[in-house]
Amino acid sequence: MKKIIEIPDDLMHKIVQKQYKISVEQDQIVLKNETEQVDIQNFSLHYVLVPSLLSLGISLMTFLLSGERQIAFTGGRYLSVAGMSMLCTTIIGFITFIWVYAKQNISTKKRKISRIRELGTIGLAYTLIIFAVQALIWHILGMTFVGVTLDPLTASFLSALFSAIVFYFLILFAVSVQISHLIVLLFVTFIGGIFLSMATNGQNGWWQYNFSFLGTGEAENQWQFNFTMIFSALMLLTITDYLFVEFQKSKFYNFKIKVVQAFYYVIALFIAGVGLFPAQSWTMVFHNASAYGIVLCIIILILLSKYLLPQLSKEFLSMSALVFIGLVASAVLFLKVHYLSLTVFEIIAFAISFSWLVMMINALQKMLHESSVYYIKILENEEIQIQKQGE
């Protein structure tokens, strides 16, 4: 029996191709423009060969020139399968990622500086995550295969094999980057960096001073805290660019949305300021201004959110009200009641502010998604005849 799909006029204006592929995926009907679809797995397998061969060549040359007859499986910095694999996947993997990402995802509508920042930030984020995962895996393998050594040729092939696996996943990630992935990356890098800073300074009694002590010269590995702040700011800028480029294509793009976008840019700059200006000597003024600026911008944005974004759900607005109360209450408990220490107040304020920023991004993304939802009808023969008679 012949059936016809009735498509709304608004949707028809966005359909430029005459032929599409329709499929059922997880109980959902998906309409795809077949000419623009990329087989992600085949794409990754196709482009993984060159970096893998390059990794093999570097490993072989390094191991042979070292003069060592046996190469350790783990340990020994770069003169081991583990060390060489991590070195190759970090440097070659970063270059491969940004090349593939630029080829598949970079929009020419963005400004050049935005494209460069996006490439560097996302490439570095994925490379760092992959590096951390590799370090954990090699640590486990090192405890499992204690004292294992290999001849240079075998070690080179094993190093290239492990590198190829990592390159495959990096290319896979580069092709399939989405804003939801970037939000997860922002969360992982921010929380992970902060906890790493706390852990490496666990014996210094940093909590007796303040949260920002982690980024001062008196703390161990101060760069970890400051780098986390600066890198999180770059991630937030990249997500903001991603999100609001999509808003420009929607019916919601107006002056109010531009105000929200400006707030996100300013908040990102303040977050970077916390890392760029440690809480010490002459930089203390700029550090405090940046820290207070983050909280102040979020409070103002919460108060204006109902006016700027009337499409936001009641649940999100209620949550925003609780966030506002939480920020004000923690400030009162610290400044007036003296119940909270400076360290605890800063941690609470940072945690609440960061969580709300992520929730706001998700709410904006939901707005975009709902604006691109259309309803169609599947007409039977009888309904088609009735419509023709009515015309």
Side-chain angles (χ1 to χ4, degrees):
M1 182 183 292
K2 186 178 180 181
K3 294 180 175 64
I4 291 180
I5 297 178
E6 188 177 63
I7 300 175
D9 292 337
D10 291 344
L11 179 57
M12 280 301 300
H13 292 311
K14 297 184 178 183
I15 296 178
V16 293
Q17 300 291 331
K18 292 184 178 180
Q19 190 169 356
Y20 284 79
K21 181 173 70 174
I22 191 167
S23 60
V24 178
E25 299 176 7
Q26 299 178 348
D27 297 329
Q28 294 181 337
I29 296 175
V30 180
L31 193 68
K32 295 180 180 178
N33 180 0
E34 193 170 7
T35 58
E36 294 182 0
Q37 293 303 309
V38 175
D39 190 316
I40 295 176
Q41 179 165 301
N42 289 341
F43 184 90
S44 300
L45 290 171
H46 179 73
Y47 283 98
V48 80
L49 184 61
V50 173
S52 300
L53 289 176
L54 185 58
S55 176
L56 176 61
I58 292 173
S59 301
L60 189 59
M61 184 175 63
T62 303
F63 292 153
L64 289 175
L65 292 178
S66 69
E68 297 289 335
R69 300 182 67 179
Q70 290 292 112
I71 305 297
F73 185 60
T74 58
R77 295 187 179 178
Y78 64 88
L79 201 58
S80 67
V81 174
M84 184 54 62
S85 175
M86 290 187 68
L87 181 67
C88 289
T89 52
T90 301
I91 299 174
I92 302 174
F94 174 73
I95 296 170
T96 302
F97 182 94
I98 61 175
W99 181 78
V100 174
Y101 181 80
K103 186 179 179 66
Q104 293 293 315
N105 295 285
I106 287 291
S107 172
T108 54
K109 294 181 180 180
K110 296 179 182 178
R111 292 176 299 173
K112 187 176 181 179
I113 186 67
S114 297
R115 296 200 297 269
I116 293 172
R117 188 184 67 233
E118 180 181 329
L119 272 174
T121 304
I122 295 177
L124 188 58
Y126 275 96
T127 306
L128 286 174
I129 296 296
I130 288 290
F131 181 86
V133 172
Q134 283 185 94
L136 179 61
I137 292 172
W138 280 116
H139 179 69
I140 296 170
L141 290 175
M143 292 189 297
T144 306
F145 300 97
V146 180
V148 173
T149 60
L150 304 157
D151 65 89
L153 186 61
T154 305
S156 299
F157 276 106
L158 271 179
S159 175
L161 176 62
F162 285 113
S163 298
I165 294 170
V166 176
F167 294 146
Y168 169 77
F169 282 105
L170 276 173
I171 295 170
L172 200 68
F173 294 145
V175 177
S176 57
V177 169
Q178 296 177 7
I179 192 169
S180 56
H181 301 164
L182 298 181
I183 294 171
V184 172
L185 273 180
L186 172 63
F187 191 83
V188 169
T189 51
F190 183 82
I191 300 300
I194 293 300
F195 274 102
L196 185 62
S197 301
M198 291 179 178
T200 54
N201 289 275
Q203 303 301 319
N204 288 345
W206 60 270
W207 57 85
Q208 298 173 12
Y209 300 91
N210 52 60
F211 181 56
S212 299
F213 176 83
L214 294 170
T216 65
E218 299 174 43
E220 291 183 13
N221 299 318
Q222 70 201 60
W223 68 269
Q224 293 174 354
F225 178 84
N226 295 329
F227 175 79
T228 297
M229 290 293 133
I230 297 168
F231 189 72
S232 297
L234 289 172
M235 283 295 296
L236 187 59
L237 283 174
T238 300
I239 291 171
T240 302
D241 287 340
Y242 244 87
L243 186 62
F244 288 94
V245 162
E246 293 301 314
F247 260 106
Q248 291 175 15
K249 305 173 187 175
S250 73
K251 61 182 180 182
F252 296 121
Y253 195 66
N254 52 31
F255 174 75
K256 293 180 180 180
I257 288 293
K258 292 179 182 178
V259 171
V260 176
Q261 183 179 8
F263 265 103
Y264 264 89
Y265 282 139
V266 173
I267 290 169
L269 291 176
F270 279 140
I271 293 174
V274 172
L276 286 170
F277 304 109
Q280 58 191 25
S281 63
W282 66 273
T283 59
M284 179 65 84
V285 176
F286 300 102
H287 176 88
N288 288 341
S290 299
Y292 292 138
I294 295 169
V295 177
L296 183 61
C297 281
I298 288 175
I299 288 174
I300 295 172
L301 196 52
I302 289 173
L303 293 174
L304 294 177
S305 57
K306 189 173 182 179
Y307 165 73
L308 294 174
L309 301 166
Q311 300 87 356
L312 292 174
S313 66
K314 292 181 180 179
E315 291 79 9
F316 178 79
L317 292 173
S318 300
M319 180 59 69
S320 298
L322 291 175
V323 168
F324 175 80
I325 293 170
L327 286 172
V328 173
S330 59
V332 171
L333 289 172
F334 166 63
L335 295 171
K336 299 295 182 183
V337 183
H338 305 294
Y339 175 75
L340 298 177
S341 67
L342 175 59
T343 305
V344 175
F345 166 66
E346 287 183 339
I347 290 175
I348 290 174
F350 252 102
I352 291 175
S353 301
F354 181 76
S355 299
W356 186 83
L357 280 175
V358 173
M359 287 191 297
M360 182 69 159
I361 291 170
N362 284 326
L364 291 168
Q365 194 180 6
K366 185 181 177 183
M367 279 176 55
L368 275 176
H369 174 71
E370 290 177 349
S371 69
S372 61
V373 173
Y374 297 89
Y375 296 93
I376 64 173
K377 289 181 181 178
I378 298 178
L379 303 178
E380 302 284 351
N381 281 337
E382 294 79 4
E383 293 174 300
I384 298 170
Q385 293 298 327
I386 293 170
Q387 279 198 1
K388 286 182 177 179
Q389 290 174 7
E391 293 173 359

